[in-house]
Structures are given as C-alpha cells and as structure tokens.
Amino acid sequence: MGSDSQDAIKQLLALIVQVEEPLRSIFQNMHQGYPTETLVRFLKAREWSVPKAHKMLVDCLNWRQQNEIDNILAKPIIPRDLYRAVRDSQLIGLSGYSKEGLPVFAIGVGLSTFDRASVHYYVQSHIQINEYRDRIVLPSATRKHGRHIGTCIKVLDMTGLKFSALSQIKLLTVISTVDDLNYPEKTETYYIVNAPYIFSACWKVVKPLLQERTRKKVQVLQGSGRDELLKIMDYASLPHFCTREGSGSSRYSSSGTNDCYSLDHPFHQQLYNYVNQQSLCQEIPKPIKQGSFHVDVPDPGPEDTKIFETIESEFQKIGDTNGATI
C-alpha cells in the first residue's frame, strides 16, 4: 500500500473519530477490531476519495442506527416453517472454506424463486447472513489462521436462469443496493458456474458497465467449474452443484446436510440457533404474530440503476426473440 493510500486512511480515520455517539459505538461494532481494514473497504468502494468514502461510511452508520442493524441477529424470522420457506426459495449457504481460509458462499441465482414470503423477509434474511458472516464466520476464520480474514468467495450457480427471472429484478436490486452501500468490498471473487445462454448474453452488455475493480473480481467458469474451483478449495468445500464434472446441477441433487442451501445444513442450523439464542439473551420480545423486520433501503446509485435497467432490457430482448420460453 503506497503513501497516498496511507494518507487517505489517516485522513478518513481523523474524520471518523469525530463522529458522536451512537455512531461511534456502531462503528466499533461494525469493524470487529479491525478499523483500518474497514476504512480501506470504504475507500476502495469510492476509488480512494476521502470525502466520498467519509460520506458513504457515515451514511452506512446512520442506516445501521435507524434500522437497528446491530440487533438484527436477535430478531428471528418466525414461525420456523416460514423461515424454512425463505431458505427454500432464497438459495444461499456456506459450503466451506478456501485453501487460504476464506469462507465460500454458494448462491443459487437461477433457482431462487423468492416467492414464498414478502420482500421484507428476504431482505431481513440476507442482512442476517451478512451480519453473521461479519460477526461470527470471518472472526472465527481470522482466529483459526492467525491473520485477518475479512472477505469471502461467492460461487454463483446460474442453473435454471430463465426469462421469468425478470420478475425478481426489483428484489435483487434492493439486495444489491444493501450490499453495495453498507457491505462494500466483502467479496474477494465471484465465480459464475453453470451459465446458460441467457446469462452469457446479459454478461456481454453488463460487463462494460462495471467498474474495472468489479470486473476483475468476476470469473465465468466452464460448466460446473469443479476443476478450476478445486485449485482454490478442497473437494469438501465445493458447493454441491459443483461436484459434477459437467453442468446442469439440480437444486435437489444432494441430501439436506450436503445441500448448503437447506435449513438442515450445519451452517443454517448454527445461524438459526444463534439468532434464537440472541433473541432470548437480549430479551427482545418476540412478535405475537407473524411479522417481518422492515429495513429501509436507499435508492441505488446511477451506475447500479443503469446496470439493472440494462439487464432488464436484455432479458426483454431475449424473451421477445425466443417467445419468452427460455
């Protein structure tokens, strides 16, 4: 890291130490003992512009305060059947760790239906996984390896991606905006696997719109990507949809304990139990009736808006060409 970067970090730190409570405590909770690394993430997200990074970070702290994000891991999605429905339709899980100790998150982009609960439950679940990753998973990996581990790897399975996914663009925009503005630079690499034609067509037009920093993080692998992924992780950490040599994975190809999407998988069992335990410890009253935890989501920036509009337009073109059968 060069002298300019060090100066930027010092300048941002000098600004952040001036914030008053409760934002100061929120920042301490957020950085988990690694304030410099946290400042670097926000600086990278704003191309090392100190004023822009400062605004982004303060906006993030305010968002966390206004939406009680520090307490979100004490607010379970109930009843259990509803949480299982969320898990079955929002496909994400921790499959293992890379050889360097980075958590490997598997995401079923093509087969996630987001049709078993309201948008608020999916946003709540997504943020809870982010927070559990940052407060439990990454600190545990850091202790195990004796060095700071602050990022993860994401393997995105495009199996089943079709024109009907257009209806999910709004929800995906919300989730992407939450991540971009409040959890920047938490992903080391995105690996795309089992990509059908519709993804390839969209990727061609979206790729030029991405910042170079983001483009470098995305790797589109052939088929299930098994051979390439085995270079960076052991077989036991491969997502279940990558264990085949070819492409065309199935949502239901593995048992519950091997399918990292499932509520029965150890990761989701640990997360589910942790949230319920925190709820009891903090004595936060459980809702008498079913109800989601609403989080305010800022509008996406102009770049993100353009990207999602481009995806929507490309989906529409492909759908018109193919009669919306893909």
Side-chain angles (χ1 to χ4, degrees):
M1 194 174 293
S3 58
D4 289 345
S5 300
Q6 293 290 351
D7 288 343
I9 294 170
K10 291 178 181 178
Q11 291 174 35
L12 183 54
L13 179 60
L15 292 171
I16 291 301
V17 297
Q18 297 177 28
V19 299
E20 299 179 353
E21 295 292 354
L23 298 189
R24 184 176 301 174
S25 294
I26 292 173
F27 180 61
Q28 291 176 344
N29 291 336
M30 188 175 77
H31 67 57
Q32 292 288 313
Y34 292 91
T36 299
E37 288 79 2
T38 300
L39 297 179
V40 168
R41 288 196 294 108
F42 281 83
L43 283 165
K44 284 182 177 179
R46 290 297 178 261
E47 304 297 331
W48 293 91
S49 166
V50 174
K52 291 180 180 180
H54 176 244
K55 181 182 185 305
M56 182 186 187
L57 181 49
V58 171
D59 286 347
C60 171
L61 296 176
N62 282 313
W63 174 79
R64 295 182 70 90
Q65 178 195 6
Q66 293 161 6
N67 293 281
E68 300 181 1
I69 301 301
D70 284 354
N71 290 327
I72 198 170
L73 288 179
K75 299 183 179 182
I77 295 174
I78 57 173
R80 184 184 177 91
D81 287 347
L82 174 61
Y83 186 63
R84 183 177 290 277
V86 171
R87 289 278 56 80
D88 288 344
S89 53
Q90 182 183 36
L91 306 182
I92 182 172
L94 178 69
S95 67
Y97 295 82
S98 73
K99 294 177 181 179
E100 294 184 348
L102 275 64
V104 178
F105 282 89
I107 303 174
V109 176
L111 293 173
S112 290
T113 56
F114 300 105
D115 60 354
R116 303 280 298 279
S118 72
V119 169
H120 300 293
Y121 285 115
Y122 290 115
V123 174
Q124 177 182 352
S125 171
H126 179 79
I127 294 174
Q128 285 180 330
I129 290 175
N130 279 357
E131 291 294 313
Y132 189 77
R133 173 199 65 197
D134 293 351
R135 300 188 211 178
I136 304 298
V137 176
L138 291 172
S140 177
T142 294
R143 290 191 297 270
K144 179 179 179 180
H145 292 274
R147 59 182 176 80
H148 180 245
I149 295 178
T151 57
C152 66
I153 290 170
K154 290 182 179 178
V155 184
L156 280 60
D157 181 19
M158 296 295 168
T159 298
L161 185 67
K162 56 184 66 175
F163 177 76
S164 57
L166 185 60
S167 63
Q168 302 165 12
I169 289 291
K170 183 177 180 180
L171 174 56
L172 295 175
T173 302
V174 169
I175 289 175
S176 176
T177 300
V178 167
D179 284 352
D180 288 348
L181 298 182
N182 302 291
Y183 302 92
E185 299 296 316
K186 296 297 293 188
T187 302
E188 192 76 16
T189 309
Y190 298 89
Y191 292 100
I192 311 295
V193 301
N194 299 320
Y197 166 75
I198 190 171
F199 169 80
S200 302
C202 288
W203 179 238
K204 287 180 181 178
V205 295
V206 169
K207 186 177 180 180
L209 302 178
L210 299 175
Q211 294 181 349
E212 183 180 1
R213 184 186 71 260
T214 303
R215 285 200 302 271
K216 289 181 178 179
K217 291 183 178 184
V218 180
Q219 294 192 30
V220 182
L221 305 182
Q222 184 175 4
S224 70
R226 190 186 74 165
D227 293 342
E228 287 299 312
L229 291 173
L230 284 175
K231 295 177 182 178
I232 64 166
M233 68 185 74
D234 295 331
Y235 185 87
S237 290
L238 278 179
H240 60 279
F241 51 78
C242 294
T243 54
R244 298 180 179 182
E245 290 188 20
S247 61
S249 66
S250 170
R251 163 68 179 90
Y252 303 103
S253 61
S254 302
S255 65
T257 55
N258 292 325
D259 177 356
C260 64
Y261 299 151
S262 171
L263 178 55
D264 298 320
H265 186 272
F267 167 72
H268 282 299
Q269 283 292 298
Q270 291 163 11
L271 170 58
Y272 180 81
N273 291 334
Y274 181 87
V275 172
N276 280 280
Q277 289 168 3
Q278 291 297 305
S279 177
L280 294 174
C281 291
Q282 295 194 18
E283 298 182 350
I284 295 177
K286 292 184 178 180
I288 297 175
K289 61 181 180 179
Q290 177 178 314
S292 60
F293 176 68
H294 290 216
V295 174
D296 294 328
V297 180
D299 293 331
E303 291 182 357
D304 287 340
T305 299
K306 184 176 182 180
I307 289 171
F308 282 105
E309 287 177 349
T310 301
I311 293 174
E312 192 171 17
S313 173
E314 195 64 23
F315 264 58
Q316 193 66 55
K317 289 178 185 176
I318 296 171
D320 292 343
T321 303
N322 295 273
T325 59
I326 54 175

